[in-house]
Structures are given as structure tokens and as C-alpha cells.
């Protein structure tokens, strides 16, 4: 990484340039798509994808009730009305039956989120999309290299978005993001949107925004990308240790992985009926935890205008008070894991 940063400084390649172009090629290859359009962050990636799909006022886009706010906020900023669908109660991912129930004549698209690193039920989601002639944009911000029935996430819909926020499985040293697609025309349009509306400087074919991946972040990501497969396997091995030991502890619900889905464990999120007390116990003993996310999207103040009720999203509402993310990173040692496990058992 030091060498990568030094090379960018030496070549004065801070905005666009060869380091960005090279990372786009490398990441497209890594996730089995034809085109990668880099941008400033994962939030912009969502906006750019939907703007390129020509979302219009009055359109409705369905997404999950439990995610980070970028997913839903960018639906609004792209010009559509966000419609939430409940999660399935087991995998934390969007429930296809809830998607079907939320479709109206104004629905134009679906944004499933592969939350915590587990793929959503893409066969069911794509079948619904085909039946109702809807586009699908996959939010893969937490699911680098995850697979559904052997196929990479991000390759099912019209486009898919990625975040390279520093805490992600593949993280930069600052904000960074990308959109991937197999549609060449869509890729070109998203590229123009991200670069002030043109492919060549001063030749603005449309009105765009300024959302560019800078050269230093691209070089850092290129340095890290060859290690991602090994890091992913390390996370999965660590998850097996947690699963085998936490499964035996009363009131602890370990992550449920659906058949033929490959979880990459961006987060290892358990459920516990006394979540807050457990988190305090772990914190008092030097173990940092997190709650991702403590308020399901329909119940945030940002969406009070929609007047949602808990009974509309029973799974997302129930999960928000029980979820707890335990320490999970590629380099975690078994001793560190058993310290966590023993403290949970003691609690």
C-alpha cells in the first residue's frame, strides 16, 4: 500500500488516470462483470445507478426495511418514492413475498440488499422482477465476493453497487465506491453521470455530478484486491468457530445462512433477547460490539412522513432490538474469539 500511494504521488495521478482505470478492470474481473464504473462512495453508486435507469417523480422503488439509510435515501434523491418491504425473519434479507405485496402500478424497480454479507433470495426476486417488468439494482456494499447458487452477487440485476468504505471487506483508506453492470450502454451513461456529464473533459453530453474515485484510493484498492479471497475465507472460518460454540448457548441466535448462499461475513450478527445488557457486559470486559442497525428504516425520523407502524414490518421491527454484531475481521485469532465466546457464555 505504501508503494501504491507513492506511485500515485510520483505520477501526479490524483483524479482519474491509469490507477483508476486499472482498478475498474480488476474489480470487474473479480466480480464477474463486463463493466465497473468507479465513483466517490457507495451512496453515490446507488444514486448513479437509479439516475441512469431514468427514475422519475411518481415512480416507486421497493427496498428492504432493514439496511443503512443510503439504500432508501438514494431512491428518494433519484426522484422516486421509497417503498419498504419486510425482511424474511431468518437471513435479515428482504422477503420476496413482501416485495410482491408492495408492488403497485407505479413500481419500477427493486433494490435488494445483501445485508451483513449474505445474498438475498435472488431467484425469487428476479422472478418477481421479470413478471412485473421491473429493474433490479443489487446493493452489494457488504457482500464483496458473496455468491448465490454459485453465481456472484451483483450479476443478477441491471446493475449493482459496491462500497469500499474502510470497514468493508475490501476497504479503501477513505470513501470509495463503484457500480458494476453487464450493460454497455448503461455503463456509459453512469460514467457520464459521475463525470460532469461527459466522457471527455469539456464535452458535456448531459448534466452530471462530480463523483470520482481518486487515484490514491484506486491504487490502495488494487493493492488489497488480490488478498480479498484469502481474507474472505478467513472470515468464513472465523464464523464457523462462532457458530459451533455460540449455538450451544441459551438465548443466542447465530446467523442463519440459507441453502446455496455463500455468506462473506462483513458482519457476524447474532440475536439475543437481552441485547443491550449483553453488549454492556462485553463492553465492560473490553470487547467492542456494534448494532447494525438499531432502528429499521421505516421507523427513522427521516421517514415519519410515511407513518409506518411496527405491525407492517414485524421481522425488521423485532430484529432491531435484538441484533448485535460481534468482532469479525480476517485477522481475528481463535484466542480472541474464545474470549468473546466465554464472556457470552458467562453472561
Amino acid at each position: 500500500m505504501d508503494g501504491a500511494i507513492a506511485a500515485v504521488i510520483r505520477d501526479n495521478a490524483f483524479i482519474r488516470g491509469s490507477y483508476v482505470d486499472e482498478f475498474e478492470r480488476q474489480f470487474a474481473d473479480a466480480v464477474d462483470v463486463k463493466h465497473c464504473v468507479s465513483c466517490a462512495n457507495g451512496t453515490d453508486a446507488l444514486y448513479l445507478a437509479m439516475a441512469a435507469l431514468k427514475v422519475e417523480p411518481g415512480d416507486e422503488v421497493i427496498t428492504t426495511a432493514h439496511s443503512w439509510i443510503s439504500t432508501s435515501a438514494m431512491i428518494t434523491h433519484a426522484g422516486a418514492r421509497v417503498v419498504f418491504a419486510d425482511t424474511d425473519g431468518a437471513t435479515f434479507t428482504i422477503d420476496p413475498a413482501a416485495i410482491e405485496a408492495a408492488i403497485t402500478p407505479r413500481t419500477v424497480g427493486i433494490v435488494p440488499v445483501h445485508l451483513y454479507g449474505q445474498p438475498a433470495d435472488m431467484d425469487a426476486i428476479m422472478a418477481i422482477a421479470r413478471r412485473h417488468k421491473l429493474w433490479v439494482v443489487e446493493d452489494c456494499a457488504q457482500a464483496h465476493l458473496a455468491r448465490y447458487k454459485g453465481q456472484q452477487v451483483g450479476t443478477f440485476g441491471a446493475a449493482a453497487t459496491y462500497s469500499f468504505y474502510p470497514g468493508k471487506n475490501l476497504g479503501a483508506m477513505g470513501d470509495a465506491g463503484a457500480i458494476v453492470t453487464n450493460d454497455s450502454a448503461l455503463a456509459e451513461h453512469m460514467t457520464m453521470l459521475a463525470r460532469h456529464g461527459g466522457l471527455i473533459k469539456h464535452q458535456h453530453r448531459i448534466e452530471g455530478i462530480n463523483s470520482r474515485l481518486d487515484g490514491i484510493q484506486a491504487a490502495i484498492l488494487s493493492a488489497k484486491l488480490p488478498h480479498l479471497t484469502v481474507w474472505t475465507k478467513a472470515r468464513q472460518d472465523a464464523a464457523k468457530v462462532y457458530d459451533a460454540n455460540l449455538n450451544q448457548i441459551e438465548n443466542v441466535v447465530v446467523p442463519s445462512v440459507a441453502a446455496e448462499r455463500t455468506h462473506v461475513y462483513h458482519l457476524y450478527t447474532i440475536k439475543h433477547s437481552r441485547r443491550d445488557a449483553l453488549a454492556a457486559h462485553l463492553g465492560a470486559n473490553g470487547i467492542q460490539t456494534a448494532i447494525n442497525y438499531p432502528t429499521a428504516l421505516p421507523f427513522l425520523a427521516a421517514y415519519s412522513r410515511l407513518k409506518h407502524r411496527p405491525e407492517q414490518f414485524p421481522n425488521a421491527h423485532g430484529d432491531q432490538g435484538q441484533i448485535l454484531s460481534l468482532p469479525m475481521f480476517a485477522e481475528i485469532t481463535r484466542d480472541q474469539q474464545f474470549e468473546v465466546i466465554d464472556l457470552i457464555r458467562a453472561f
Side-chain angles (χ1 to χ4, degrees), residues 10 17 26 41 48 64 77 88 127-128 154 159 164 175 191 251 255 263 284 294 296 299 340:
R10 179 197 66 216
Q26 292 171 346
N41 52 67
L48 291 163
T64 180
H77 283 295
D88 65 12
I128 293 168
F164 306 116
D175 269 326
T191 301
N251 295 324
H263 201 317
F299 311 114
V340 176

Side-chain angles (χ1 to χ4, degrees), residues 240-249 254 338 341 345:
K240 290 176 184 176
V241 172
Y242 275 145
D243 284 348
N245 290 275
L246 295 176
N247 244 332
Q248 303 170 24
I249 303 175
V254 301
F338 277 104
I341 291 162
R345 185 178 289 116

Side-chain angles (χ1 to χ4, degrees), residues 37 45 57 72 77 125 137 155 157 179 215 228 236 275 284 298:
V37 178
S72 53
H77 283 295
I125 291 168
V137 170
T155 61
I179 319 110
L228 182 57
Q236 292 165 337
R275 185 269 314 281

Side-chain angles (χ1 to χ4, degrees), residues 172-252:
M173 294 181 75
D175 269 326
I179 319 110
V180 301
T181 184
N182 286 314
D183 184 327
S184 299
L186 187 62
E188 181 176 280
H189 192 60
M190 291 188 296
T191 301
M192 286 193 294
L193 279 171
R195 302 183 199 172
H196 293 293
L199 300 175
I200 300 170
K201 193 170 185 178
H202 303 306
Q203 296 183 20
H204 310 285
R205 292 161 54 183
I206 59 175
E207 289 182 320
I209 64 171
N210 178 18
S211 181
R212 297 175 296 203
L213 175 64
D214 72 66
I216 286 179
Q217 301 304 339
I220 289 166
L221 290 167
S222 287
K224 296 176 77 173
L225 182 57
H227 302 279
L228 182 57
T229 299
V230 173
W231 291 338
T232 301
K233 176 67 163 51
R235 286 173 177 268
Q236 292 165 337
D237 288 345
K240 290 176 184 176
V241 172
Y242 275 145
D243 284 348
N245 290 275
L246 295 176
N247 244 332
Q248 303 170 24
I249 303 175
E250 188 178 4
N251 295 324
V252 175

Side-chain angles (χ1 to χ4, degrees), residues 15-31:
I15 303 296
R16 295 298 308 165
S18 61
Y19 296 96
V20 174
D21 294 342
E22 181 61 19
F23 173 70
E24 288 178 337
R25 287 190 292 268
Q26 292 171 346
F27 193 69
D29 287 344
V31 298

